[in-house]
Amino acid sequence: MIIINKRPIKSFQPDIRSDGLRPTIGDRILLRLAPGKYRLDIDPAGFPPDWQAKIQALAVDVIPGSYTPVTIPMILSYTVSGVVTDTQGNAIPGAKVEAIETTQGTRRFSVTNGAGVYYLENLPQGNYKLEINGQLASNLKLEASSEPFQEMNLQQSGN
């Protein structure tokens, strides 16, 4: 989850404190570090699937004789998965499924496997166009009340 000066956080013997609401996820980690400058790299693999860090790394200057709080800003993250089929209901392997955020134009894509399954992850809140091989297939709105994992089967329109 967090790497400090190229060393995993576990090597620093962290004291992980839970918020009491979700026992498997700590809301604070206490470390004893010598005064100095440290680089914190954020590894997204360690976060719950419905959260992601807004930053990838930061620098921290630990001051002697005090606590140095570090806040890592987090945002909700969503995953959308499903099967892409043709108009006859047959799965389409190798189709490019792309989620395009309508305001900023950011894109995430997936290529369907042999069973036609696509998997779009780490989508932030927003409005999206879902395209299959460059053709509009659906619209998607992700907001705070949306489920973090959604199944959405798509059908490619015939040409």
Side-chain angles (χ1 to χ4, degrees), residues 22 44-45 47-54 73-81 108 119-126 128 140-150:
R22 300 163 92 179
F47 290 116
D50 53 342
W51 288 95
Q52 68 181 6
K54 278 181 98 171
M74 304 289 286
I75 57 173
L76 283 170
S77 175
Y78 302 89
T79 299
V80 179
S81 181
R108 299 263 199 292
Y119 193 78
L120 297 165
E121 59 185 347
N122 294 326
L123 297 171
Q125 290 180 13
Y128 293 87
L140 174 66
K141 182 176 186 173
L142 297 174
E143 52 193 358
S145 61
S146 298
E147 289 294 319
F149 184 84
Q150 297 182 29

Side-chain angles (χ1 to χ4, degrees), residues 16 41 67 69 83 102 105 112 115 120 123-124 130:
I16 300 173
D41 290 294
Y67 288 98
V83 177
T102 57
T112 60
L120 297 165
L123 297 171
L130 296 179

Side-chain angles (χ1 to χ4, degrees), residues 1 5 11 15 26 32 45 51 66 70 79 83 85 92 98 104 115-116 128 145:
M1 175 188 275
N5 290 352
S11 67
D15 178 9
R32 291 183 188 262
W51 288 95
S66 69
V70 175
T79 299
V83 177
T85 58
I92 302 176
E98 193 165 23
Q104 297 179 359
Y128 293 87
S145 61

Side-chain angles (χ1 to χ4, degrees), residues 32-110:
R32 291 183 188 262
L33 297 172
K37 295 186 186 301
Y38 295 86
R39 177 186 168 104
L40 275 67
D41 290 294
I42 314 303
D43 179 5
F47 290 116
D50 53 342
W51 288 95
Q52 68 181 6
K54 278 181 98 171
I55 57 173
Q56 294 178 343
L58 57 107
V60 176
D61 192 7
V62 175
I63 311 290
S66 69
Y67 288 98
T68 305
V70 175
T71 302
I72 299 172
M74 304 289 286
I75 57 173
L76 283 170
S77 175
Y78 302 89
T79 299
V80 179
S81 181
V83 177
V84 176
T85 58
D86 60 20
T87 53
Q88 287 77 40
N90 300 313
I92 302 176
K96 180 179 179 183
V97 178
E98 193 165 23
I100 305 164
E101 203 277 325
T102 57
T103 8
Q104 297 179 359
T106 54
R107 297 168 178 255
R108 299 263 199 292
F109 79 92
S110 173

